[in-house]
Amino acid sequence: GAVVSQHPSWVICKSGTSVKIECRSLDFQATTMFWYRQFPKQSLMLMATSNEGSKATYEQGVEKDKFLINHASLTLSTLTVTSAHPEDSSFYICSAQRGAGETQYFGPGTRLLVL
Amino acid sequence: GQQLNQSPQSMFIQEGEDVSMNCTSSSIFNTWLWYKQEPGEGPVLLIALYKAGELTSNGRLTAQFGITRKDSFLNISASIPSDVGIYFCAAAGNNRKLIWGLGTSLAVNP
């Protein structure tokens, strides 16, 4: 199988602080990783696509300076929510893909609550 | 953004019943995927379909890639309580970006 992990699984932080979420592909190398956000009872919304060693491609309406993505290796991508505000509270899910066009395997998600 | 039309939005059924849900689109896609998501978890891939007309089974689950490439359905036979969750369809075209349905919430009464 293809296992993707996320850390932390949940985080509570104060407004104005930054939070880093890690996404790791445990048993395969991922050329591409995706970051999604999901609000309660809604579908997944793609935030950005990141390829190892290059800058992430952000979806329209997603602030790249607020959601910093780093894909430094073929098994690790990080999403940093900078200066978090309560409206950033959401369920953040990453997925990883071995190669272009291949199946995306999802992590278990990170629940972020900003107070 | 673009979304798939997934129906029904929710279902409440008795254990043992069969379930059917579907997704449609006005666009053509090359890949159709069905995922299940349980509360507080990420989506888990159930079935992947890569060819128009393809019919694929995974245990009690069966899914088909519509011949027009604009739709797909998922059937669950003889439902059991652990089938509870939200089922999402997703599709990808030439740009390989996944487009998602809004999900079908399934509740099973034991």
Side-chain angles (χ1 to χ4, degrees), chain A residues 36 38 42-44 46 59 91 93 100-101 103-109 111, chain B residues 3 31 33 35 37 40-43 45 48 50 88 96-98 100-103:
Chain A
Y36 293 84
Q38 186 180 34
Q42 292 190 21
S43 189
L44 282 72
L46 180 64
E59 294 300 299
F91 192 48
I93 309 172
T103 301
Q104 291 183 34
Y105 295 94
F106 285 82
R111 176 82 54 196
Chain B
Q3 273 181 334
T31 302
L33 306 165
Y35 288 88
Q37 186 178 28
E41 299 289 332
L45 181 66
Y50 300 106
F88 288 99
R96 302 182 181 120
K97 188 181 294 185
L98 278 185
W100 292 82
L102 291 179

PDB file of all heavy atoms in Angstrom, chain A residues 36 38 42-44 46 59 91 93 100-101 103-109 111, chain B residues 3 31 33 35 37 40-43 45 48 50 88 96-98 100-103:
ATOM      1  N   TYR A  36      -4.932  20.220   0.868  1.00  0.00           N
ATOM      2  CA  TYR A  36      -6.354  20.519   0.795  1.00  0.00           C
ATOM      3  C   TYR A  36      -6.817  21.093   2.126  1.00  0.00           C
ATOM      4  O   TYR A  36      -6.226  20.858   3.172  1.00  0.00           O
ATOM      5  CB  TYR A  36      -7.168  19.236   0.541  1.00  0.00           C
ATOM      6  CG  TYR A  36      -6.965  18.582  -0.803  1.00  0.00           C
ATOM      7  CD1 TYR A  36      -5.902  17.711  -1.028  1.00  0.00           C
ATOM      8  CD2 TYR A  36      -7.867  18.801  -1.846  1.00  0.00           C
ATOM      9  CE1 TYR A  36      -5.734  17.090  -2.256  1.00  0.00           C
ATOM     10  CE2 TYR A  36      -7.714  18.175  -3.076  1.00  0.00           C
ATOM     11  CZ  TYR A  36      -6.639  17.314  -3.273  1.00  0.00           C
ATOM     12  OH  TYR A  36      -6.483  16.690  -4.494  1.00  0.00           O
ATOM     13  N   GLN A  38     -10.567  21.391   4.302  1.00  0.00           N
ATOM     14  CA  GLN A  38     -11.952  20.917   4.330  1.00  0.00           C
ATOM     15  C   GLN A  38     -12.677  21.531   5.509  1.00  0.00           C
ATOM     16  O   GLN A  38     -12.271  21.333   6.659  1.00  0.00           O
ATOM     17  CB  GLN A  38     -11.994  19.389   4.409  1.00  0.00           C
ATOM     18  CG  GLN A  38     -13.386  18.803   4.307  1.00  0.00           C
ATOM     19  CD  GLN A  38     -13.388  17.292   4.380  1.00  0.00           C
ATOM     20  OE1 GLN A  38     -12.575  16.697   5.071  1.00  0.00           O
ATOM     21  NE2 GLN A  38     -14.301  16.659   3.666  1.00  0.00           N
ATOM     22  N   GLN A  42     -18.279  19.783   4.228  1.00  0.00           N
ATOM     23  CA  GLN A  42     -18.005  20.216   2.864  1.00  0.00           C
ATOM     24  C   GLN A  42     -16.977  19.298   2.222  1.00  0.00           C
ATOM     25  O   GLN A  42     -16.359  18.468   2.883  1.00  0.00           O
ATOM     26  CB  GLN A  42     -17.507  21.664   2.848  1.00  0.00           C
ATOM     27  CG  GLN A  42     -18.571  22.667   3.258  1.00  0.00           C
ATOM     28  CD  GLN A  42     -18.130  24.089   3.006  1.00  0.00           C
ATOM     29  OE1 GLN A  42     -17.237  24.351   2.211  1.00  0.00           O
ATOM     30  NE2 GLN A  42     -18.771  25.027   3.684  1.00  0.00           N
ATOM     31  N   SER A  43     -16.800  19.480   0.937  1.00  0.00           N
ATOM     32  CA  SER A  43     -15.842  18.658   0.212  1.00  0.00           C
ATOM     33  C   SER A  43     -14.436  19.216   0.394  1.00  0.00           C
ATOM     34  O   SER A  43     -14.231  20.252   1.021  1.00  0.00           O
ATOM     35  CB  SER A  43     -16.221  18.645  -1.268  1.00  0.00           C
ATOM     36  OG  SER A  43     -15.444  17.704  -1.962  1.00  0.00           O
ATOM     37  N   LEU A  44     -13.476  18.517  -0.160  1.00  0.00           N
ATOM     38  CA  LEU A  44     -12.090  18.970  -0.080  1.00  0.00           C
ATOM     39  C   LEU A  44     -11.852  20.095  -1.077  1.00  0.00           C
ATOM     40  O   LEU A  44     -12.296  20.033  -2.216  1.00  0.00           O
ATOM     41  CB  LEU A  44     -11.123  17.827  -0.394  1.00  0.00           C
ATOM     42  CG  LEU A  44     -10.875  16.802   0.708  1.00  0.00           C
ATOM     43  CD1 LEU A  44     -12.069  15.895   0.925  1.00  0.00           C
ATOM     44  CD2 LEU A  44      -9.640  15.974   0.386  1.00  0.00           C
ATOM     45  N   LEU A  46      -8.817  22.116  -2.914  1.00  0.00           N
ATOM     46  CA  LEU A  46      -7.389  22.116  -3.179  1.00  0.00           C
ATOM     47  C   LEU A  46      -6.823  23.506  -2.914  1.00  0.00           C
ATOM     48  O   LEU A  46      -7.339  24.508  -3.405  1.00  0.00           O
ATOM     49  CB  LEU A  46      -7.123  21.710  -4.630  1.00  0.00           C
ATOM     50  CG  LEU A  46      -5.665  21.666  -5.062  1.00  0.00           C
ATOM     51  CD1 LEU A  46      -4.886  20.601  -4.282  1.00  0.00           C
ATOM     52  CD2 LEU A  46      -5.555  21.405  -6.559  1.00  0.00           C
ATOM     53  N   GLU A  59      -3.791  27.574  -5.730  1.00  0.00           N
ATOM     54  CA  GLU A  59      -5.083  27.766  -6.365  1.00  0.00           C
ATOM     55  C   GLU A  59      -5.524  29.217  -6.196  1.00  0.00           C
ATOM     56  O   GLU A  59      -5.081  29.933  -5.290  1.00  0.00           O
ATOM     57  CB  GLU A  59      -6.120  26.820  -5.761  1.00  0.00           C
ATOM     58  CG  GLU A  59      -5.833  25.359  -6.043  1.00  0.00           C
ATOM     59  CD  GLU A  59      -5.811  25.043  -7.527  1.00  0.00           C
ATOM     60  OE1 GLU A  59      -6.841  25.238  -8.203  1.00  0.00           O
ATOM     61  OE2 GLU A  59      -4.747  24.606  -8.012  1.00  0.00           O
ATOM     62  N   PHE A  91      -9.812  21.682   8.735  1.00  0.00           N
ATOM     63  CA  PHE A  91      -9.185  20.367   8.646  1.00  0.00           C
ATOM     64  C   PHE A  91      -8.285  20.405   7.415  1.00  0.00           C
ATOM     65  O   PHE A  91      -8.764  20.629   6.294  1.00  0.00           O
ATOM     66  CB  PHE A  91     -10.280  19.302   8.512  1.00  0.00           C
ATOM     67  CG  PHE A  91      -9.831  17.886   8.697  1.00  0.00           C
ATOM     68  CD1 PHE A  91      -9.038  17.522   9.774  1.00  0.00           C
ATOM     69  CD2 PHE A  91     -10.222  16.891   7.809  1.00  0.00           C
ATOM     70  CE1 PHE A  91      -8.637  16.213   9.961  1.00  0.00           C
ATOM     71  CE2 PHE A  91      -9.823  15.574   7.989  1.00  0.00           C
ATOM     72  CZ  PHE A  91      -9.036  15.233   9.065  1.00  0.00           C
ATOM     73  N   ILE A  93      -5.663  18.566   4.929  1.00  0.00           N
ATOM     74  CA  ILE A  93      -5.340  17.212   4.492  1.00  0.00           C
ATOM     75  C   ILE A  93      -4.326  17.286   3.362  1.00  0.00           C
ATOM     76  O   ILE A  93      -4.478  18.100   2.439  1.00  0.00           O
ATOM     77  CB  ILE A  93      -6.581  16.466   3.971  1.00  0.00           C
ATOM     78  CG1 ILE A  93      -7.735  16.558   4.977  1.00  0.00           C
ATOM     79  CG2 ILE A  93      -6.262  15.000   3.680  1.00  0.00           C
ATOM     80  CD1 ILE A  93      -9.041  15.999   4.441  1.00  0.00           C
ATOM     81  N   ALA A 100       3.165  11.643 -12.105  1.00  0.00           N
ATOM     82  CA  ALA A 100       2.114  12.435 -12.722  1.00  0.00           C
ATOM     83  C   ALA A 100       0.953  11.543 -13.163  1.00  0.00           C
ATOM     84  O   ALA A 100       1.164  10.526 -13.822  1.00  0.00           O
ATOM     85  CB  ALA A 100       2.666  13.207 -13.913  1.00  0.00           C
ATOM     86  N   GLY A 101      -0.228  11.936 -12.792  1.00  0.00           N
ATOM     87  CA  GLY A 101      -1.412  11.206 -13.205  1.00  0.00           C
ATOM     88  C   GLY A 101      -1.730   9.984 -12.379  1.00  0.00           C
ATOM     89  O   GLY A 101      -2.753   9.341 -12.592  1.00  0.00           O
ATOM     90  N   THR A 103      -2.535   7.786  -8.800  1.00  0.00           N
ATOM     91  CA  THR A 103      -3.505   7.951  -7.714  1.00  0.00           C
ATOM     92  C   THR A 103      -2.923   8.773  -6.573  1.00  0.00           C
ATOM     93  O   THR A 103      -1.748   8.642  -6.226  1.00  0.00           O
ATOM     94  CB  THR A 103      -3.921   6.566  -7.190  1.00  0.00           C
ATOM     95  OG1 THR A 103      -4.490   5.835  -8.259  1.00  0.00           O
ATOM     96  CG2 THR A 103      -4.924   6.694  -6.060  1.00  0.00           C
ATOM     97  N   GLN A 104      -3.766   9.644  -6.007  1.00  0.00           N
ATOM     98  CA  GLN A 104      -3.372  10.396  -4.820  1.00  0.00           C
ATOM     99  C   GLN A 104      -3.745   9.590  -3.581  1.00  0.00           C
ATOM    100  O   GLN A 104      -4.873   9.112  -3.460  1.00  0.00           O
ATOM    101  CB  GLN A 104      -4.107  11.743  -4.770  1.00  0.00           C
ATOM    102  CG  GLN A 104      -3.667  12.723  -5.845  1.00  0.00           C
ATOM    103  CD  GLN A 104      -4.366  14.057  -5.694  1.00  0.00           C
ATOM    104  OE1 GLN A 104      -4.653  14.518  -4.584  1.00  0.00           O
ATOM    105  NE2 GLN A 104      -4.642  14.702  -6.811  1.00  0.00           N
ATOM    106  N   TYR A 105      -2.797   9.473  -2.679  1.00  0.00           N
ATOM    107  CA  TYR A 105      -3.049   8.817  -1.396  1.00  0.00           C
ATOM    108  C   TYR A 105      -3.041   9.892  -0.317  1.00  0.00           C
ATOM    109  O   TYR A 105      -2.141  10.730  -0.262  1.00  0.00           O
ATOM    110  CB  TYR A 105      -1.992   7.747  -1.122  1.00  0.00           C
ATOM    111  CG  TYR A 105      -2.056   6.616  -2.121  1.00  0.00           C
ATOM    112  CD1 TYR A 105      -1.248   6.616  -3.256  1.00  0.00           C
ATOM    113  CD2 TYR A 105      -2.970   5.578  -1.945  1.00  0.00           C
ATOM    114  CE1 TYR A 105      -1.342   5.593  -4.191  1.00  0.00           C
ATOM    115  CE2 TYR A 105      -3.059   4.553  -2.878  1.00  0.00           C
ATOM    116  CZ  TYR A 105      -2.246   4.570  -4.000  1.00  0.00           C
ATOM    117  OH  TYR A 105      -2.348   3.555  -4.921  1.00  0.00           O
ATOM    118  N   PHE A 106      -4.068   9.835   0.537  1.00  0.00           N
ATOM    119  CA  PHE A 106      -4.284  10.922   1.473  1.00  0.00           C
ATOM    120  C   PHE A 106      -3.739  10.614   2.864  1.00  0.00           C
ATOM    121  O   PHE A 106      -3.735   9.470   3.318  1.00  0.00           O
ATOM    122  CB  PHE A 106      -5.783  11.222   1.579  1.00  0.00           C
ATOM    123  CG  PHE A 106      -6.307  11.959   0.381  1.00  0.00           C
ATOM    124  CD1 PHE A 106      -6.653  11.274  -0.770  1.00  0.00           C
ATOM    125  CD2 PHE A 106      -6.430  13.335   0.402  1.00  0.00           C
ATOM    126  CE1 PHE A 106      -7.111  11.949  -1.888  1.00  0.00           C
ATOM    127  CE2 PHE A 106      -6.887  14.019  -0.713  1.00  0.00           C
ATOM    128  CZ  PHE A 106      -7.226  13.329  -1.857  1.00  0.00           C
ATOM    129  N   GLY A 107      -3.313  11.668   3.531  1.00  0.00           N
ATOM    130  CA  GLY A 107      -2.956  11.571   4.931  1.00  0.00           C
ATOM    131  C   GLY A 107      -4.201  11.606   5.785  1.00  0.00           C
ATOM    132  O   GLY A 107      -5.308  11.836   5.284  1.00  0.00           O
ATOM    133  N   PRO A 108      -4.041  11.416   7.099  1.00  0.00           N
ATOM    134  CA  PRO A 108      -5.187  11.362   8.003  1.00  0.00           C
ATOM    135  C   PRO A 108      -5.734  12.732   8.364  1.00  0.00           C
ATOM    136  O   PRO A 108      -6.763  12.822   9.034  1.00  0.00           O
ATOM    137  CB  PRO A 108      -4.617  10.659   9.238  1.00  0.00           C
ATOM    138  CG  PRO A 108      -3.171  10.983   9.204  1.00  0.00           C
ATOM    139  CD  PRO A 108      -2.794  11.056   7.765  1.00  0.00           C
ATOM    140  N   GLY A 109      -5.067  13.782   7.935  1.00  0.00           N
ATOM    141  CA  GLY A 109      -5.577  15.126   8.220  1.00  0.00           C
ATOM    142  C   GLY A 109      -5.035  15.725   9.500  1.00  0.00           C
ATOM    143  O   GLY A 109      -4.596  15.017  10.409  1.00  0.00           O
ATOM    144  N   ARG A 111      -6.294  18.680  12.268  1.00  0.00           N
ATOM    145  CA  ARG A 111      -7.357  19.599  12.699  1.00  0.00           C
ATOM    146  C   ARG A 111      -6.703  20.806  13.344  1.00  0.00           C
ATOM    147  O   ARG A 111      -5.971  20.672  14.312  1.00  0.00           O
ATOM    148  CB  ARG A 111      -8.252  18.884  13.717  1.00  0.00           C
ATOM    149  CG  ARG A 111      -9.337  19.739  14.315  1.00  0.00           C
ATOM    150  CD  ARG A 111     -10.557  19.867  13.453  1.00  0.00           C
ATOM    151  NE  ARG A 111     -11.111  18.592  13.053  1.00  0.00           N
ATOM    152  CZ  ARG A 111     -11.987  18.473  12.054  1.00  0.00           C
ATOM    153  NH1 ARG A 111     -12.376  19.535  11.387  1.00  0.00           N
ATOM    154  NH2 ARG A 111     -12.469  17.294  11.743  1.00  0.00           N
TER     155      ARG A 111
ATOM    156  N   GLN B   3     -17.020  21.567  -9.772  1.00  0.00           N
ATOM    157  CA  GLN B   3     -17.358  20.465  -8.899  1.00  0.00           C
ATOM    158  C   GLN B   3     -18.180  19.441  -9.653  1.00  0.00           C
ATOM    159  O   GLN B   3     -18.806  19.751 -10.657  1.00  0.00           O
ATOM    160  CB  GLN B   3     -18.163  20.956  -7.695  1.00  0.00           C
ATOM    161  CG  GLN B   3     -17.313  21.423  -6.535  1.00  0.00           C
ATOM    162  CD  GLN B   3     -18.129  21.875  -5.361  1.00  0.00           C
ATOM    163  OE1 GLN B   3     -19.261  22.298  -5.491  1.00  0.00           O
ATOM    164  NE2 GLN B   3     -17.539  21.812  -4.184  1.00  0.00           N
ATOM    165  N   THR B  31     -10.177   9.904 -15.546  1.00  0.00           N
ATOM    166  CA  THR B  31     -10.073   9.052 -14.361  1.00  0.00           C
ATOM    167  C   THR B  31     -11.230   9.375 -13.429  1.00  0.00           C
ATOM    168  O   THR B  31     -11.542  10.551 -13.224  1.00  0.00           O
ATOM    169  CB  THR B  31      -8.747   9.313 -13.614  1.00  0.00           C
ATOM    170  OG1 THR B  31      -7.655   9.078 -14.490  1.00  0.00           O
ATOM    171  CG2 THR B  31      -8.624   8.416 -12.388  1.00  0.00           C
ATOM    172  N   LEU B  33     -12.549   8.350  -9.470  1.00  0.00           N
ATOM    173  CA  LEU B  33     -12.118   7.734  -8.221  1.00  0.00           C
ATOM    174  C   LEU B  33     -13.250   7.822  -7.203  1.00  0.00           C
ATOM    175  O   LEU B  33     -14.033   8.777  -7.204  1.00  0.00           O
ATOM    176  CB  LEU B  33     -10.897   8.462  -7.662  1.00  0.00           C
ATOM    177  CG  LEU B  33      -9.699   8.599  -8.609  1.00  0.00           C
ATOM    178  CD1 LEU B  33      -8.721   9.635  -8.081  1.00  0.00           C
ATOM    179  CD2 LEU B  33      -9.005   7.257  -8.774  1.00  0.00           C
ATOM    180  N   TYR B  35     -13.763   7.640  -3.006  1.00  0.00           N
ATOM    181  CA  TYR B  35     -13.109   7.649  -1.702  1.00  0.00           C
ATOM    182  C   TYR B  35     -14.165   7.565  -0.606  1.00  0.00           C
ATOM    183  O   TYR B  35     -15.309   7.995  -0.782  1.00  0.00           O
ATOM    184  CB  TYR B  35     -12.339   8.958  -1.486  1.00  0.00           C
ATOM    185  CG  TYR B  35     -11.080   9.120  -2.301  1.00  0.00           C
ATOM    186  CD1 TYR B  35     -11.116   9.677  -3.570  1.00  0.00           C
ATOM    187  CD2 TYR B  35      -9.845   8.744  -1.780  1.00  0.00           C
ATOM    188  CE1 TYR B  35      -9.949   9.843  -4.309  1.00  0.00           C
ATOM    189  CE2 TYR B  35      -8.671   8.914  -2.505  1.00  0.00           C
ATOM    190  CZ  TYR B  35      -8.736   9.472  -3.764  1.00  0.00           C
ATOM    191  OH  TYR B  35      -7.577   9.633  -4.489  1.00  0.00           O
ATOM    192  N   GLN B  37     -14.566   8.719   3.494  1.00  0.00           N
ATOM    193  CA  GLN B  37     -13.968   9.490   4.578  1.00  0.00           C
ATOM    194  C   GLN B  37     -14.774   9.281   5.848  1.00  0.00           C
ATOM    195  O   GLN B  37     -15.995   9.445   5.846  1.00  0.00           O
ATOM    196  CB  GLN B  37     -13.911  10.977   4.230  1.00  0.00           C
ATOM    197  CG  GLN B  37     -13.169  11.812   5.265  1.00  0.00           C
ATOM    198  CD  GLN B  37     -13.076  13.275   4.883  1.00  0.00           C
ATOM    199  OE1 GLN B  37     -13.928  13.794   4.175  1.00  0.00           O
ATOM    200  NE2 GLN B  37     -12.047  13.961   5.364  1.00  0.00           N
ATOM    201  N   GLY B  40     -12.972  12.859  11.103  1.00  0.00           N
ATOM    202  CA  GLY B  40     -11.645  13.147  11.613  1.00  0.00           C
ATOM    203  C   GLY B  40     -10.517  12.435  10.895  1.00  0.00           C
ATOM    204  O   GLY B  40      -9.380  12.425  11.374  1.00  0.00           O
ATOM    205  N   GLU B  41     -10.822  11.849   9.746  1.00  0.00           N
ATOM    206  CA  GLU B  41      -9.802  11.123   8.994  1.00  0.00           C
ATOM    207  C   GLU B  41      -9.702  11.666   7.577  1.00  0.00           C
ATOM    208  O   GLU B  41     -10.619  12.339   7.089  1.00  0.00           O
ATOM    209  CB  GLU B  41     -10.150   9.627   8.921  1.00  0.00           C
ATOM    210  CG  GLU B  41     -10.221   8.930  10.274  1.00  0.00           C
ATOM    211  CD  GLU B  41      -8.862   8.754  10.899  1.00  0.00           C
ATOM    212  OE1 GLU B  41      -7.867   8.660  10.148  1.00  0.00           O
ATOM    213  OE2 GLU B  41      -8.785   8.710  12.151  1.00  0.00           O
ATOM    214  N   GLY B  42      -8.606  11.350   6.906  1.00  0.00           N
ATOM    215  CA  GLY B  42      -8.492  11.707   5.507  1.00  0.00           C
ATOM    216  C   GLY B  42      -9.230  10.700   4.641  1.00  0.00           C
ATOM    217  O   GLY B  42      -9.587   9.612   5.095  1.00  0.00           O
ATOM    218  N   PRO B  43      -9.484  11.044   3.386  1.00  0.00           N
ATOM    219  CA  PRO B  43     -10.186  10.111   2.488  1.00  0.00           C
ATOM    220  C   PRO B  43      -9.337   8.879   2.206  1.00  0.00           C
ATOM    221  O   PRO B  43      -8.120   8.962   2.083  1.00  0.00           O
ATOM    222  CB  PRO B  43     -10.380  10.926   1.209  1.00  0.00           C
ATOM    223  CG  PRO B  43     -10.155  12.339   1.593  1.00  0.00           C
ATOM    224  CD  PRO B  43      -9.184  12.314   2.728  1.00  0.00           C
ATOM    225  N   LEU B  45      -8.934   5.729  -0.506  1.00  0.00           N
ATOM    226  CA  LEU B  45      -9.324   5.313  -1.846  1.00  0.00           C
ATOM    227  C   LEU B  45     -10.017   3.956  -1.808  1.00  0.00           C
ATOM    228  O   LEU B  45      -9.503   2.993  -1.231  1.00  0.00           O
ATOM    229  CB  LEU B  45      -8.092   5.236  -2.750  1.00  0.00           C
ATOM    230  CG  LEU B  45      -8.354   4.824  -4.190  1.00  0.00           C
ATOM    231  CD1 LEU B  45      -9.184   5.888  -4.910  1.00  0.00           C
ATOM    232  CD2 LEU B  45      -7.040   4.598  -4.929  1.00  0.00           C
ATOM    233  N   ALA B  48     -10.526   2.897  -8.149  1.00  0.00           N
ATOM    234  CA  ALA B  48     -10.030   3.801  -9.183  1.00  0.00           C
ATOM    235  C   ALA B  48     -10.415   3.244 -10.544  1.00  0.00           C
ATOM    236  O   ALA B  48     -10.277   2.046 -10.794  1.00  0.00           O
ATOM    237  CB  ALA B  48      -8.513   3.937  -9.080  1.00  0.00           C
ATOM    238  N   TYR B  50     -10.059   3.877 -14.781  1.00  0.00           N
ATOM    239  CA  TYR B  50      -9.204   4.587 -15.723  1.00  0.00           C
ATOM    240  C   TYR B  50      -9.665   4.485 -17.179  1.00  0.00           C
ATOM    241  O   TYR B  50      -9.037   5.083 -18.069  1.00  0.00           O
ATOM    242  CB  TYR B  50      -7.767   4.045 -15.632  1.00  0.00           C
ATOM    243  CG  TYR B  50      -7.154   4.217 -14.256  1.00  0.00           C
ATOM    244  CD1 TYR B  50      -6.997   3.123 -13.400  1.00  0.00           C
ATOM    245  CD2 TYR B  50      -6.742   5.472 -13.810  1.00  0.00           C
ATOM    246  CE1 TYR B  50      -6.432   3.285 -12.146  1.00  0.00           C
ATOM    247  CE2 TYR B  50      -6.180   5.632 -12.555  1.00  0.00           C
ATOM    248  CZ  TYR B  50      -6.038   4.540 -11.726  1.00  0.00           C
ATOM    249  OH  TYR B  50      -5.477   4.691 -10.474  1.00  0.00           O
ATOM    250  N   PHE B  88     -16.999  10.135  -1.349  1.00  0.00           N
ATOM    251  CA  PHE B  88     -16.730  11.190  -2.317  1.00  0.00           C
ATOM    252  C   PHE B  88     -16.337  10.583  -3.656  1.00  0.00           C
ATOM    253  O   PHE B  88     -15.533   9.650  -3.706  1.00  0.00           O
ATOM    254  CB  PHE B  88     -15.567  12.082  -1.854  1.00  0.00           C
ATOM    255  CG  PHE B  88     -15.888  12.987  -0.708  1.00  0.00           C
ATOM    256  CD1 PHE B  88     -15.521  12.652   0.588  1.00  0.00           C
ATOM    257  CD2 PHE B  88     -16.548  14.189  -0.923  1.00  0.00           C
ATOM    258  CE1 PHE B  88     -15.809  13.484   1.652  1.00  0.00           C
ATOM    259  CE2 PHE B  88     -16.836  15.039   0.134  1.00  0.00           C
ATOM    260  CZ  PHE B  88     -16.468  14.682   1.422  1.00  0.00           C
ATOM    261  N   ARG B  96      -4.850  16.612 -14.840  1.00  0.00           N
ATOM    262  CA  ARG B  96      -4.599  15.711 -13.716  1.00  0.00           C
ATOM    263  C   ARG B  96      -5.020  16.279 -12.372  1.00  0.00           C
ATOM    264  O   ARG B  96      -4.754  15.671 -11.347  1.00  0.00           O
ATOM    265  CB  ARG B  96      -3.139  15.290 -13.678  1.00  0.00           C
ATOM    266  CG  ARG B  96      -2.715  14.600 -14.960  1.00  0.00           C
ATOM    267  CD  ARG B  96      -1.295  14.140 -14.896  1.00  0.00           C
ATOM    268  NE  ARG B  96      -0.907  13.511 -16.141  1.00  0.00           N
ATOM    269  CZ  ARG B  96       0.070  13.927 -16.914  1.00  0.00           C
ATOM    270  NH1 ARG B  96       0.787  14.968 -16.570  1.00  0.00           N
ATOM    271  NH2 ARG B  96       0.352  13.303 -18.036  1.00  0.00           N
ATOM    272  N   LYS B  97      -5.696  17.430 -12.362  1.00  0.00           N
ATOM    273  CA  LYS B  97      -6.154  17.994 -11.101  1.00  0.00           C
ATOM    274  C   LYS B  97      -7.457  17.299 -10.718  1.00  0.00           C
ATOM    275  O   LYS B  97      -8.344  17.121 -11.535  1.00  0.00           O
ATOM    276  CB  LYS B  97      -6.379  19.492 -11.259  1.00  0.00           C
ATOM    277  CG  LYS B  97      -6.682  20.219  -9.980  1.00  0.00           C
ATOM    278  CD  LYS B  97      -6.910  21.703 -10.236  1.00  0.00           C
ATOM    279  CE  LYS B  97      -5.655  22.388 -10.706  1.00  0.00           C
ATOM    280  NZ  LYS B  97      -5.849  23.845 -10.831  1.00  0.00           N
ATOM    281  N   LEU B  98      -7.565  16.916  -9.466  1.00  0.00           N
ATOM    282  CA  LEU B  98      -8.774  16.227  -9.009  1.00  0.00           C
ATOM    283  C   LEU B  98      -9.905  17.217  -8.790  1.00  0.00           C
ATOM    284  O   LEU B  98      -9.737  18.234  -8.110  1.00  0.00           O
ATOM    285  CB  LEU B  98      -8.506  15.484  -7.700  1.00  0.00           C
ATOM    286  CG  LEU B  98      -7.838  14.114  -7.778  1.00  0.00           C
ATOM    287  CD1 LEU B  98      -7.761  13.488  -6.394  1.00  0.00           C
ATOM    288  CD2 LEU B  98      -8.568  13.185  -8.732  1.00  0.00           C
ATOM    289  N   TRP B 100     -13.792  17.340  -7.210  1.00  0.00           N
ATOM    290  CA  TRP B 100     -14.492  16.550  -6.198  1.00  0.00           C
ATOM    291  C   TRP B 100     -15.996  16.749  -6.228  1.00  0.00           C
ATOM    292  O   TRP B 100     -16.483  17.845  -6.556  1.00  0.00           O
ATOM    293  CB  TRP B 100     -13.986  16.927  -4.803  1.00  0.00           C
ATOM    294  CG  TRP B 100     -12.585  16.518  -4.560  1.00  0.00           C
ATOM    295  CD1 TRP B 100     -11.460  17.192  -4.946  1.00  0.00           C
ATOM    296  CD2 TRP B 100     -12.130  15.347  -3.896  1.00  0.00           C
ATOM    297  NE1 TRP B 100     -10.346  16.492  -4.558  1.00  0.00           N
ATOM    298  CE2 TRP B 100     -10.724  15.368  -3.902  1.00  0.00           C
ATOM    299  CE3 TRP B 100     -12.779  14.263  -3.276  1.00  0.00           C
ATOM    300  CZ2 TRP B 100      -9.947  14.355  -3.331  1.00  0.00           C
ATOM    301  CZ3 TRP B 100     -12.008  13.263  -2.705  1.00  0.00           C
ATOM    302  CH2 TRP B 100     -10.612  13.320  -2.734  1.00  0.00           C
ATOM    303  N   GLY B 101     -16.712  15.691  -5.876  1.00  0.00           N
ATOM    304  CA  GLY B 101     -18.125  15.826  -5.573  1.00  0.00           C
ATOM    305  C   GLY B 101     -18.289  16.327  -4.148  1.00  0.00           C
ATOM    306  O   GLY B 101     -17.315  16.404  -3.391  1.00  0.00           O
ATOM    307  N   LEU B 102     -19.513  16.662  -3.773  1.00  0.00           N
ATOM    308  CA  LEU B 102     -19.771  17.194  -2.436  1.00  0.00           C
ATOM    309  C   LEU B 102     -19.982  16.102  -1.392  1.00  0.00           C
ATOM    310  O   LEU B 102     -20.134  16.399  -0.219  1.00  0.00           O
ATOM    311  CB  LEU B 102     -20.982  18.133  -2.470  1.00  0.00           C
ATOM    312  CG  LEU B 102     -20.750  19.439  -3.216  1.00  0.00           C
ATOM    313  CD1 LEU B 102     -22.013  20.281  -3.218  1.00  0.00           C
ATOM    314  CD2 LEU B 102     -19.607  20.231  -2.593  1.00  0.00           C
ATOM    315  N   GLY B 103     -19.994  14.855  -1.841  1.00  0.00           N
ATOM    316  CA  GLY B 103     -20.069  13.756  -0.889  1.00  0.00           C
ATOM    317  C   GLY B 103     -21.480  13.231  -0.691  1.00  0.00           C
ATOM    318  O   GLY B 103     -22.462  13.955  -0.839  1.00  0.00           O
TER     319      GLY B 103
END
